[in-house]
Amino acid sequence: MASERVSKYWFPAKRYGWGWGLPATWQGWVVFATYLGLVFGGIPLLRASKGDAFYSAYIGVLTLVLVAICWIKGEPPRWRWGRDQ
């Protein structure tokens, strides 16, 4: 039985630049889909009732949480030029 190589990272590093790309595991996709759902779900619920400033703060907090999860569960970030070194 061939062993399948499983990545321990939910979010792989981008090939070029600094940061992370799209999720590589189902857990990462759940986090990403939840983020998008909360961002777009907040438009009719928060933006319409509380205003743009509150919605912007809400998006900022959600984004900080997403970046924290990527930092913990993703590949270590560093600048990449497209080739493995």
Side-chain angles (χ1 to χ4, degrees):
M1 191 188 229
S3 65
E4 193 176 303
R5 183 176 169 220
V6 178
S7 174
K8 63 180 178 177
Y9 297 119
W10 293 4
F11 299 92
K14 289 171 41 177
R15 186 172 201 169
Y16 293 94
W18 191 92
W20 303 277
L22 290 174
T25 64
W26 68 268
Q27 295 96 331
W29 281 107
V30 168
V31 169
F32 189 63
T34 301
Y35 171 78
L36 291 178
L38 289 172
V39 166
F40 290 114
I43 292 172
L45 299 175
L46 297 176
R47 189 171 180 207
S49 63
K50 303 282 185 182
D52 289 340
F54 187 84
Y55 182 71
S56 295
Y58 169 75
I59 296 299
V61 169
L62 288 178
T63 302
L64 286 175
V65 170
L66 178 64
V67 169
I69 293 171
C70 288
W71 194 280
I72 293 167
K73 300 306 277 182
E75 276 188 79
R78 64 179 173 85
W79 189 264
R80 297 172 198 276
W81 293 100
R83 58 186 179 275
D84 292 335
Q85 296 177 9

